[in-house]
Amino acid sequence: MASSFLSSLRRAGPKLAPDFFICQRCLRQSPSLLSKVKAPGKANLSHSIRFNSSTAFADSAANKKTPLGNLGQTIVQNAERKAVPGKKRFWPETSSNAVGYWLLASAGSVFGIVVFGGLTRLTESGLSITEWRPVTGSLPPLSQADWDSEFSKYRASPEFKLLNPHMTLEEFKKIYFMEWGHRLWGRFVGLSFVLPAIYFVSRGKVSAKMSLRLLGISGLIAGQGALGWYMVKSGLKDDLFAPGSHPRVSQYRLTAHLGAAFVCYTAMLWNGLSILRTNSYLSNPTQAYANLQHLLSPTLSPFRKSVAGLAILVFTTAMSGGLVAGLDAGMIYNEFPRMGVGLHPPKSELIDPFYSRKVDRSDIVWRNMLENPSTVQLDHRALATTTFTAVLSLWAYTRLNKKVRAAIPGSARKGMLGVVHLLMMQVALGISTLIYLVPVPLAAAHQAGSLALLTGVLVLGGRVWVPRATLKLVKQRAGMMSAVKGGQRTLGLGKEAVKADLGALRRSAPPGLAGSS
């Protein structure tokens, strides 16, 4: 059919003026060519095409899209698309899934070092290395002379003089390797984050915003190492704690070190989950946009805000646990729920003037809350009880409120139940740690449980929170997909468009051309 059609087109060619075959592209680029177009004579095509005047033909050529023009335009567009490929952007719109999985693996490494750091503190190994050597300290002592040198430095520390005056070299090696392993793990966390980050950015697998976040996390890791040494340094000098007291690091610096680790872990976990979640949304943006709009409904608004408040409450409770650890406040009042003869110690013990450092006693309240072991333990108990009540209340809200129960997605319902399970485990670990006088395994598990509970809340938040940037991107993709589906019926692209234009040209051709098929 196509060969007969082309042969008819060639036979009709001599009957048409050469100016008739000026293409639409030339007409658009040079409007002056319109004046050169002459209408074909009526005698040549009297039974097929009639022209009233050359002006009418010119107006038709300039304003009306003919089948021949559509065919030419389609062919030109396809050729230009192949000849000039689109320029690839260096910063992709979204980050690769590989980046998300790497961030989750990095978060797992930080989780491990937090637990190992707790073991280092519980075994009183943190003050065994009295120097900070970020590069040369990567290797342990390799000779007997090196061990003797390290041991002599430790013997000059307050911890050895007051707590371990009879420690042998073999016993010193045990606590030394604990602290050395913790520091080596910290170096591994830094290198395993910075080097892959440079690789992913250079390969164009990270979006512009995510690259800035990776830079911020890298700076946080570097600052965490310096903060760790700043913490250890507080336990190596006599003037940094009360004379004759138990040598220990500052509870403020310990809590800051723990808090920085929690923030670093949260940043890695949240961004990793965000990348995977966003790419999952973009695989079906229309459905994802509908789901996100459902999450933004007023019915779920109190639940979303409550999850955010719950995350802050869990973090605050964990930081109060850092103060308890720094002051060894878990070694007193080893019973629950009572503290002595009542639910709390006497007021004179909670607000003790001994901890005030000003003559007018204006700092007596907040210093007792942060430095008095009895008050600090009471604060931790109060925050833990508040967290327990808040989680169970939020879970009951999702089960007893009919509107919320009908509107909440299944993934969020499962996430809420997971948080309840983590909470129960953490409460059991906390009470057991207190009652059994802070044994190392239970205390380390309790610290890990706090981070696990925070993880559960963040995962739950990722299922109900709707970041604006994600919503905007999903909405844009959903609109593009709708436009593409609608445009497939009208726009001529590729082989199907060429066939459609050829068919339209054949149907509108003169009878002499269309008759031979």
Side-chain angles (χ1 to χ4, degrees):
M1 183 178 94
S3 59
S4 59
F5 169 72
L6 293 176
S7 61
S8 300
L9 184 62
R10 285 195 296 270
R11 287 195 300 271
K15 300 178 182 180
L16 302 175
D19 295 333
F20 177 78
F21 292 94
I22 299 177
C23 67
Q24 297 293 321
R25 185 182 181 190
C26 296
L27 290 175
R28 290 195 303 269
Q29 293 179 351
S30 303
S32 61
L33 292 176
L34 291 175
S35 59
K36 300 180 182 179
V37 178
K38 299 179 181 179
K42 292 183 180 181
N44 295 334
L45 293 173
S46 58
H47 62 285
S48 59
I49 302 177
R50 297 183 180 274
F51 296 89
N52 294 330
S53 63
S54 60
T55 305
F57 172 73
D59 293 339
S60 176
N63 301 324
K64 185 177 180 181
K65 293 185 177 181
T66 63
L68 183 62
N70 288 338
L71 175 62
Q73 184 177 4
T74 300
I75 295 175
V76 169
Q77 287 177 350
N78 289 341
E80 291 177 347
R81 192 177 293 110
K82 293 180 180 180
V84 185
K87 185 178 180 181
K88 185 179 179 180
R89 298 170 55 187
F90 178 76
W91 299 109
E93 196 172 22
T94 59
S95 301
S96 170
N97 276 347
V99 179
Y101 290 121
W102 159 69
L103 282 171
L104 294 182
S106 298
S109 182
V110 173
F111 190 104
I113 196 175
V114 169
V115 177
F116 193 78
L119 289 172
T120 303
R121 177 187 54 80
L122 291 167
T123 56
E124 297 183 344
S125 305
L127 300 178
S128 58
I129 301 180
T130 59
E131 295 177 339
W132 189 46
R133 295 172 295 175
V135 179
T136 58
S138 302
L139 295 176
L142 301 178
S143 64
Q144 185 62 35
D146 294 338
W147 278 115
D148 292 337
S149 175
E150 292 295 327
F151 192 33
S152 63
K153 296 175 184 177
Y154 177 69
R155 286 199 299 266
S157 67
E159 184 179 71
F160 178 86
K161 296 176 180 178
L162 297 177
L163 292 181
N164 304 318
H166 305 292
M167 177 177 283
T168 64
L169 179 60
E170 294 302 320
E171 293 173 335
F172 170 72
K173 288 182 179 180
K174 295 179 181 179
I175 64 172
Y176 184 94
F177 275 118
M178 285 290 295
E179 174 64 11
W180 175 80
H182 182 62
R183 296 190 183 190
L184 185 65
W185 198 335
R187 293 180 178 92
F188 172 77
V189 169
L191 292 177
S192 64
F193 187 86
V194 173
L195 296 181
I198 295 174
Y199 169 78
F200 284 127
V201 171
S202 63
R203 299 290 294 179
K205 296 182 179 295
V206 181
S207 64
K209 291 184 178 180
M210 186 56 63
S211 63
L212 294 177
R213 296 180 185 179
L214 296 183
L215 180 62
I217 297 175
S218 300
L220 183 61
I221 294 174
Q224 176 71 338
L227 184 59
W229 168 245
Y230 182 64
M231 176 194 68
V232 171
K233 186 179 179 181
S234 64
L236 298 176
K237 295 183 179 181
D238 294 323
D239 57 347
L240 295 180
F241 50 86
S245 64
H246 189 294
R248 62 167 63 97
V249 298
S250 167
Q251 75 272 20
Y252 297 113
R253 301 183 190 185
L254 173 64
T255 305
H257 188 52
L258 180 66
F262 270 56
V263 171
C264 185
Y265 171 81
T266 300
M268 293 177 179
L269 176 68
W270 178 256
N271 285 290
L273 293 175
S274 177
I275 291 173
L276 299 179
R277 184 172 55 249
T278 300
N279 290 336
S280 177
Y281 287 159
L282 296 181
S283 63
N284 189 1
T286 304
Q287 181 64 36
Y289 184 68
N291 294 339
L292 293 177
Q293 288 295 329
H294 176 71
L295 290 175
L296 291 174
S297 63
T299 304
L300 295 176
S301 178
F303 179 72
R304 294 196 314 271
K305 295 176 182 178
S306 299
V307 174
L310 191 61
I312 298 175
L313 182 59
V314 171
F315 179 83
T316 305
T317 305
M319 294 305 101
S320 71
L323 292 174
V324 171
L327 293 171
D328 288 331
M331 303 301 294
I332 59 176
Y333 292 114
N334 300 105
E335 52 188 339
F336 189 86
R338 303 177 69 86
M339 296 181 70
V341 296
L343 294 178
H344 60 80
K347 182 178 179 181
S348 58
E349 182 179 347
L350 293 176
I351 308 296
D352 192 344
F354 171 78
Y355 297 97
S356 177
R357 299 182 184 178
K358 293 185 178 181
V359 179
D360 57 356
R361 304 288 174 84
S362 59
D363 60 342
I364 188 173
V365 175
W366 70 265
R367 283 198 178 276
N368 273 275
M369 294 182 66
L370 299 177
E371 299 179 3
N372 185 343
S374 299
T375 310
V376 167
Q377 186 188 127
L378 179 63
D379 293 341
H380 187 60
R381 290 189 183 209
L383 286 170
T385 305
T386 304
T387 303
F388 179 80
T389 305
V391 171
L392 292 185
S393 300
L394 187 59
W395 174 75
Y397 172 73
T398 61
R399 303 294 295 178
L400 301 179
N401 189 301
K402 295 182 179 179
K403 292 183 178 180
V404 175
R405 183 175 182 178
I408 190 171
S411 59
R413 186 180 298 110
K414 294 178 182 178
M416 186 71 247
L417 186 59
V419 171
V420 172
H421 291 163
L422 290 170
L423 174 73
M424 294 300 181
M425 178 188 68
Q426 177 67 349
V427 170
L429 287 172
I431 296 176
S432 301
T433 301
L434 181 66
I435 293 176
Y436 291 102
L437 298 176
V438 195
V440 173
L442 285 177
H446 185 52
Q447 180 168 320
S450 65
L451 196 52
L453 181 58
L454 180 61
T455 302
V457 176
L458 292 175
V459 171
L460 173 61
R463 297 177 179 181
V464 297
W465 297 332
V466 183
R468 294 182 181 179
T470 302
L471 179 64
K472 181 179 179 181
L473 182 59
V474 172
K475 182 179 180 181
Q476 180 183 3
R477 288 289 184 89
M480 291 173 60
M481 287 195 65
S482 301
V484 168
K485 290 180 179 179
Q488 287 177 351
R489 303 185 183 93
T490 56
L491 296 178
L493 297 174
K495 296 182 179 179
E496 296 181 359
V498 173
K499 292 180 180 179
D501 291 339
L502 283 172
L505 179 62
R506 183 177 65 82
R507 288 191 298 272
S508 62
L513 297 178
S516 56
S517 58

